Amino acid sequence: MATNPYINLTSFSAEQNLVEDITVELIQGVGQDCVYVPRNALNIDRLFGEDPSSYFNSTYTIEMYIQSYKGFEGTDIVTQFGIEIKDKISLLMARRRFRDVITAAQPSITRPREGDLIYFPLSKSLFEINFVEHENPLYPLGKLYSYQITAELFTYSYEKLITGNTAVNSPYTSTGVTGGTFIPKNNILGTTAGINSILDTEADLYNFDPNDPNTGCAN
Amino acid sequence: MFGYYYNKGLRRLIVGFGSLFSNIEVVHDNAVGTDTRLQVPLTYASQEKFIQRLLNPSSITEGTRIENQLPRMSFHVSNVTPDPSRRRSRFSTLSTGVAGTNCASLNEFSNETPVNVGISLFAYTRHVDDMLQIIEQIIPFFTPDHVIKMELTDGGTVLNIPVVLTSNNITDRYEGDFNSRRIHIATFNFIAKTYLFGKVAQTSSIASSTINITGFTGYNLNDS
């Protein structure tokens, strides 16, 4: 049996546009301005399906509604590699606004993409999009109006962050380049930079030479 | 019971072992422009949690918050076991001169106790290619052992310590839903065949000796 054209509203564009307007208005009313940072692939390795040299060089400010209002769904944990911050966030973005702001500037980006970044200024957090749910809610009045974005804090692996936004760029810093080698930014205990130089210095006190350990005669 | 002493033998070994891996690098091949070449940060895995929270970037620290920064490496000692197969006589000693005394004073070391120290080294990367670069910079040097040389006590002798790579394992977590990301963790297990020394005694060197000979009759010592 076909749907009833007199009471079924799933194909009325006027009603759909009204719902879309309300969606945009709601997010603009109670949402938060975030910074969308698209990832640029540079040298995709098709063997391993990765691009260690991908980079980020543009930002777009767009409003998003925070769905995970109870807090970030994670905490700080200590692993054998130091502290990891396991914050997650769930955000809602209007489809029409994404088209107007981001697709209009970069036509190849037609939807929020997994791997792109979102800077959340309230907590100064740089999230990476893990998944974009595009069918929730499921076709109200026959159309989709929003993207539901699940994101987790960025696992940074020295991709170039060369946007015009200082806060976004800040992980891409170093103590300098020594002999062409990028030395990660230092801190007191070396969670970021490691204790490489501390080990080398103390090893020298014990007459240890890791680069030429067999030189000389040992007793 | 035996009196206090601390030669820092295990600390010296840990430092020496760690410095073997302090200059591992990873290069990201940028198709355009200069490649990104970075030194892989290395830490000792076990650290006080409160010190990490207070002094290192965490969720309460000012600045842009990220989950972590990869690649990274860490290591820790997992066990210290006596090795009877390398044990020598416990009664002989070794003496070395104390610096600045012209060998008038000596450090006297009892024979060393051979121990096997299990050390695990971990590497954590986001990209497979980064992991492969790290593995290639480690395994070829352990065939299966790599001999390091260092002083295990102050004023002691320099000893050869073989470090043996016994096993390695790569954890590659990539399955599941999109709520988690792919990670790679490699574990290398080593045994360092090192030594521990007991308390170092202070003695004097023998500068002169007097011989008293009695009881000889009918024999003249001056006879040729």
Side-chain angles (χ1 to χ4, degrees):
Chain A
M1 180 179 129
T3 55
N4 186 334
Y6 299 103
I7 60 170
N8 191 314
L9 302 177
T10 56
S11 58
F12 284 0
S13 61
E15 296 293 325
Q16 292 171 347
N17 291 341
L18 175 63
V19 173
E20 187 154 44
D21 286 345
I22 292 171
T23 302
V24 170
E25 193 174 326
L26 175 75
I27 294 173
Q28 288 179 333
V30 296
Q32 172 69 34
D33 279 336
C34 297
V35 181
Y36 188 87
V37 191
R39 182 191 290 265
N40 296 290
L42 185 64
N43 189 15
I44 294 178
D45 182 341
R46 303 295 297 182
L47 176 62
F48 297 131
E50 63 190 20
D51 185 4
S53 56
S54 61
Y55 65 99
F56 304 86
N57 67 346
S58 55
T59 58
Y60 303 94
T61 301
I62 186 169
E63 70 280 358
M64 300 185 199
Y65 174 71
I66 306 160
Q67 288 192 303
S68 46
Y69 60 91
K70 287 184 177 176
F72 298 123
E73 301 153 8
T75 183
D76 294 14
I77 61 168
V78 174
T79 72
Q80 68 256 52
F81 302 102
I83 288 183
E84 289 188 7
I85 313 170
K86 309 298 281 185
D87 288 353
K88 293 182 178 179
I89 195 169
S90 185
L91 299 160
L92 200 69
M93 185 195 298
R95 282 172 169 251
R96 191 173 77 196
R97 288 287 296 151
F98 187 87
R99 284 196 304 271
D100 292 349
V101 175
I102 295 154
T103 306
Q106 292 198 39
S108 62
I109 305 176
T110 57
R111 67 171 185 87
R113 303 177 305 187
E114 289 79 6
D116 289 353
L117 306 181
I118 293 172
Y119 180 69
F120 185 66
L122 280 182
S123 63
K124 299 176 183 170
S125 300
L126 194 57
F127 289 97
E128 179 179 343
I129 298 175
N130 277 354
F131 188 65
V132 178
E133 172 60 62
H134 68 291
E135 290 181 320
N136 184 14
L138 187 65
Y139 297 95
L141 298 182
K143 193 179 175 183
L144 298 167
Y145 310 100
S146 59
Y147 295 110
Q148 186 177 315
I149 296 171
T150 306
E152 192 176 10
L153 279 180
F154 186 29
T155 300
Y156 178 57
S157 188
Y158 299 93
E159 295 88 349
K160 285 184 180 173
L161 293 163
I162 44 177
T163 70
N165 187 315
T166 311
V168 172
N169 292 351
S170 68
Y172 185 64
T173 52
S174 70
T175 55
V177 177
T178 306
T181 301
F182 188 92
I183 309 295
K185 186 180 179 182
N186 208 348
N187 59 48
I188 298 169
L189 263 192
T191 293
T192 312
I195 55 170
N196 306 41
S197 61
I198 297 171
L199 287 168
D200 289 342
T201 305
E202 187 166 343
D204 287 343
L205 298 176
Y206 309 142
N207 293 325
F208 179 78
D209 183 357
N211 295 315
D212 192 9
N214 292 313
T215 302
C217 61
N219 294 303
Chain B
M1 182 169 68
F2 301 114
Y4 175 78
Y5 65 90
Y6 181 41
N7 297 318
K8 297 186 177 178
L10 290 173
R11 181 186 175 95
R12 290 163 191 254
L13 175 75
I14 290 167
V15 169
F17 178 86
S19 64
L20 283 177
F21 307 100
S22 63
N23 289 305
I24 288 179
E25 296 185 350
V26 163
V27 175
H28 289 170
D29 179 15
N30 298 329
V32 181
T34 314
D35 291 344
T36 304
R37 184 184 186 93
L38 58 105
Q39 186 184 50
V40 180
L42 175 68
T43 53
Y44 192 74
S46 167
Q47 306 207 350
E48 281 273 21
K49 288 184 178 179
F50 80 91
I51 288 180
Q52 294 211 51
R53 174 72 168 167
L54 293 178
L55 301 184
N56 291 317
S58 68
S59 60
I60 205 166
T61 315
E62 278 297 308
T64 299
R65 193 185 302 178
I66 57 176
E67 181 176 299
N68 56 11
Q69 215 162 345
L70 303 180
R72 310 190 53 75
M73 292 175 69
S74 69
F75 66 102
H76 76 90
V77 170
S78 50
N79 58 71
V80 181
T81 314
D83 182 2
S85 66
R86 291 188 286 129
R87 182 166 291 159
R88 299 193 297 166
S89 165
R90 75 178 73 171
F91 298 112
S92 63
T93 58
L94 174 71
S95 298
T96 60
V98 176
T101 65
N102 198 22
C103 289
S105 298
L106 299 174
N107 289 322
E108 187 177 76
F109 300 87
S110 300
N111 255 355
E112 70 281 350
T113 301
V115 291
N116 292 338
V117 179
I119 307 176
S120 297
L121 175 75
F122 308 100
Y124 183 13
T125 68
R126 171 148 191 179
H127 303 113
V128 176
D129 198 59
D130 293 357
M131 180 61 76
L132 300 185
Q133 290 182 47
I134 292 171
I135 291 172
E136 280 202 20
Q137 290 174 69
I138 294 175
I139 288 184
F141 293 96
F142 296 90
T143 54
D145 64 351
H146 177 75
V147 180
I148 60 176
K149 186 186 75 174
M150 67 188 317
E151 282 179 11
L152 290 173
T153 54
D154 281 333
T157 53
V158 177
L159 294 171
N160 280 336
I161 303 163
V163 180
V164 186
L165 175 61
T166 56
S167 65
N168 82 309
N169 173 54
I170 299 175
T171 303
D172 200 355
R173 198 179 72 201
Y174 56 90
E175 295 173 301
D177 62 23
F178 280 83
N179 287 324
S180 59
R181 289 194 284 261
R182 184 181 73 162
I183 63 166
H184 310 283
I185 295 178
T187 306
F188 303 86
N189 295 311
F190 296 90
I191 289 177
K193 296 186 174 181
T194 186
Y195 305 92
L196 290 180
F197 290 86
K199 192 172 186 177
V200 179
Q202 302 289 320
T203 61
S204 301
S205 59
I206 300 172
S208 62
S209 62
T210 303
I211 303 172
N212 294 318
I213 302 173
T214 58
F216 285 93
T217 57
Y219 185 80
N220 188 346
L221 288 174
N222 292 323
D223 288 347
S224 58

